[in-house]
Every structure is written in C-alpha cells, then in structure tokens.
Amino acid sequence: VGHSAAAQRTFHEINPDMSGTELATLVRSVELALQSEGGMADVQSLKTPMSLAFAVAMFNQLSGINAMLYFAPRIFQWSGLGHSAAMLETVGIGLTNLIFTSIGIQLIDKLGRRTLLAIGAVGGVCSLGACSWAFATKKMSLVPVYVFAFVGAHAIGQGTVIWVFISEIFPPKHRAAG
C-alpha cells in the first residue's frame, strides 16, 4: 500500500501487453486484498506457525538422515560388508524408507502427528545410540540393523509428518493465499 506506481511498473515489466487501466485495476485489487487481510496484525499472527514450521524443518535436517543416506555405503563397508554388499544394502535403505513412509501415511490420521513425531524421535535416538554402541564395541554385524532401524524410524516419524504438518499449521486464509 502506498507504492502504486512501483507496483504498476513491476506488473508492466511482467506483462507489457496490459493496458494502463488493467494495470491500475490489478494494483488496486492487490491493495484491497492486503488491507482486508489485516496488514501487519496478520503477520504477527503467523509468528507461532512460522516458528513451529521452521523448527520442525530444522530438526528434520539436523536429525542426520541426509548424512546417513549419503554415507550409507561407506558405513556398511566400515561394518565389514564388501563393496557390492554395501551397495546392495543401500538399495535396501531406499526400500525401507519407502515402506515406512507408506506406513506413516497410513498411521498419520489414526495416531496423530505428535505421536508419529514421538515414535520417530525415540526410534531415531535409540537406533543411533545402538549404532554408536555397535561401532564402539566392535559388534559390526549389528550396524546395518541399526542403520535400517534409524531410516525406518525417521521415515515413519519426521519423514512423513513434516510435509503434512507444515502445510496444515497455517490458518486456512493464508494457505489459500499461497
């Protein structure tokens, strides 16, 4: 609001075929939409959903799933598997991810988002702890089991919930606005 001339110039750059009247109408409709949605008061109402969405996305990335998926062949080789077996186990990781994500999709409305996040978090902590223990005690045959358990726990928890949670946490009028 208050930047009508700049908005008209920008819209004209995007679509040079629009007439001056069409540009003015478009700018006015955007101004009215911004005024009817409450302006800065609306932005303040999004602080909590934005913070929660950011936190869930951040913890999803910091969980270590991307590192586990990327370094899975090397982790499997460190656990004593040969190169070919390590590569084949990586295919198993993908299938585990697919299967547990499918299970998570089936359970998300039955158990709820919070429950699935808790299951994934507890499963992730336990499986990563067990994986560390297996490396530390040289029980290498257990490492692949715990890696698969971690991928499954992540897929059924955060891997499934993040997409639904982030889209649902915002009020409907903001979701509709894009």
Side-chain angles (χ1 to χ4, degrees), residues 65-145:
I65 189 65
N66 292 329
M68 188 66 78
L69 295 175
Y70 183 78
F71 290 109
R74 183 163 297 179
I75 293 168
F76 291 141
Q77 284 179 326
W78 288 338
S79 70
L81 295 174
H83 178 74
S84 296
M87 288 301 181
L88 190 58
E89 291 284 333
T90 303
V91 172
I93 290 284
L95 288 173
T96 300
N97 199 3
L98 175 68
I99 290 166
F100 279 89
T101 299
S102 299
I103 293 169
I105 289 169
Q106 297 299 315
L107 293 176
I108 198 163
D109 286 327
K110 292 176 183 152
L111 298 180
R113 285 95 174 111
R114 188 176 297 165
T115 302
L116 283 185
L117 283 173
I119 289 169
V122 170
V125 167
C126 291
S127 58
L128 285 178
C131 191
S132 298
W133 170 82
F135 270 116
T137 60
K138 307 286 188 234
K139 303 217 187 284
M140 299 303 191
S141 63
L142 295 175
V143 170
V145 173

Side-chain angles (χ1 to χ4, degrees), residues 34-78:
L34 288 173
Q35 289 170 354
S36 68
E37 290 184 12
M40 289 307 287
D42 251 9
V43 172
Q44 294 299 322
S45 73
L46 291 176
K47 273 188 175 181
T48 300
M50 288 290 286
S51 297
L52 289 170
F54 180 81
V56 169
M58 181 182 72
F59 287 121
N60 188 57
Q61 294 302 305
L62 294 176
S63 71
I65 189 65
N66 292 329
M68 188 66 78
L69 295 175
Y70 183 78
F71 290 109
R74 183 163 297 179
I75 293 168
F76 291 141
Q77 284 179 326
W78 288 338

